[in-house]
Amino acid sequence: MNPTTTALVLIEFQNDFTTEGGTLHGAVKDVMDKEHVLDHARQAADAVRAAGGAVLHCPITFAPGYGEITAHPYGILKGVVDSSSFVRGGWGAEICQELTPVDGDIVIEGKRGLDAFGSTNLDFVLRSKGITTVVLAGFLTNCCVESTMRSAYEKGFEVITLTDAVGATSVEEHDSAIKFDYPMFSKPMSTDEFVAALGADRELADASRGY
């Protein structure tokens, strides 16, 4: 895990999920509170920045009226439309205060579906920066995070998922995805484990360069 070839990808840390008053906050609040998701995501972001890695934000947004998707959505996107979530220009679609992008962060635009690679230039940005290790955090554990995890795995990246920096609409769904699906397509680890490994690898890399 060379920090300079590592990117933390933060998926949908937006007010509609993360913040009191958000349209979907009530659905994910239990898991957020149980796992201390925002604290762990911020811890990971600070560690990656300090080590010289990249932090990428992948929000999802839609124009008012949701013209970018089918007029008859079903599944998770129907829930987004029915709850009027992630409308571009609205407070709910904004990245939450706790994870506001800082100078040097990259905001990936164009996410309209589940897989963060699907309708964006995420793959191009990662490869152009020489990224080989992708670290995932965000929402939902068993939806957009898992979809992105599977694609990253298929694309040949080393994939790490931060098990306490992801959130779902129920503890059962969250725990099930982490137990059964995540090990198939990633290296699941806690934020503390990731930060420790990142620091150890940074020290080894510095030592090899004579720092």
Side-chain angles (χ1 to χ4, degrees), residues 102-143:
V102 305
D103 288 345
D105 287 3
I106 299 169
V107 178
I108 300 295
E109 300 179 353
K111 189 174 186 298
R112 302 288 184 267
L114 312 184
D115 175 8
F117 288 95
S119 57
T120 73
N121 66 343
L122 176 59
D123 186 66
F124 172 81
V125 171
L126 292 172
R127 296 189 189 281
S128 69
K129 294 180 68 64
I131 299 299
T132 57
T133 300
V134 174
V135 185
L136 301 178
F139 302 89
L140 296 166
T141 308
N142 57 333
C143 186

Side-chain angles (χ1 to χ4, degrees), residues 1 6-10 133-137 158-162 194:
M1 199 171 6
T6 298
L8 173 65
V9 178
L10 299 168
T133 300
V134 174
V135 185
L136 301 178
E158 177 187 34
V159 187
I160 294 169
T161 46
L162 301 182
F194 166 66

Side-chain angles (χ1 to χ4, degrees), residues 42-206:
R42 184 165 51 189
Q43 177 189 357
D46 288 344
V48 169
R49 293 179 187 121
V55 175
L56 283 67
H57 303 261
C58 288
I60 188 171
T61 60
F62 300 95
Y66 299 94
E68 301 98 330
I69 59 176
T70 175
H72 304 286
Y74 62 96
I76 189 68
L77 289 179
K78 184 178 189 303
V80 169
V81 173
D82 289 348
S83 60
S84 299
S85 300
F86 308 120
V87 177
R88 190 179 310 126
W91 171 83
E94 294 176 2
I95 295 173
C96 65
Q97 184 176 359
E98 293 86 347
L99 288 162
T100 300
V102 305
D103 288 345
D105 287 3
I106 299 169
V107 178
I108 300 295
E109 300 179 353
K111 189 174 186 298
R112 302 288 184 267
L114 312 184
D115 175 8
F117 288 95
S119 57
T120 73
N121 66 343
L122 176 59
D123 186 66
F124 172 81
V125 171
L126 292 172
R127 296 189 189 281
S128 69
K129 294 180 68 64
I131 299 299
T132 57
T133 300
V134 174
V135 185
L136 301 178
F139 302 89
L140 296 166
T141 308
N142 57 333
C143 186
C144 292
V145 176
E146 183 167 332
S147 294
T148 305
M149 172 187 68
R150 290 170 180 254
S151 285
Y153 180 85
E154 294 275 13
K155 292 176 181 293
F157 292 100
E158 177 187 34
V159 187
I160 294 169
T161 46
L162 301 182
T163 58
D164 53 9
V166 293
T169 56
S170 73
V171 172
E172 292 79 8
E173 291 171 294
H174 174 78
D175 289 346
S176 177
I178 289 172
K179 180 178 180 179
F180 296 110
D181 296 341
Y182 277 31
M184 295 178 67
F185 308 103
S186 74
K187 300 175 181 178
M189 60 179 68
S190 70
T191 299
D192 284 346
E193 290 170 335
F194 166 66
V195 171
L198 188 68
D201 284 350
R202 182 186 183 189
E203 291 175 4
L204 289 171
D206 288 349

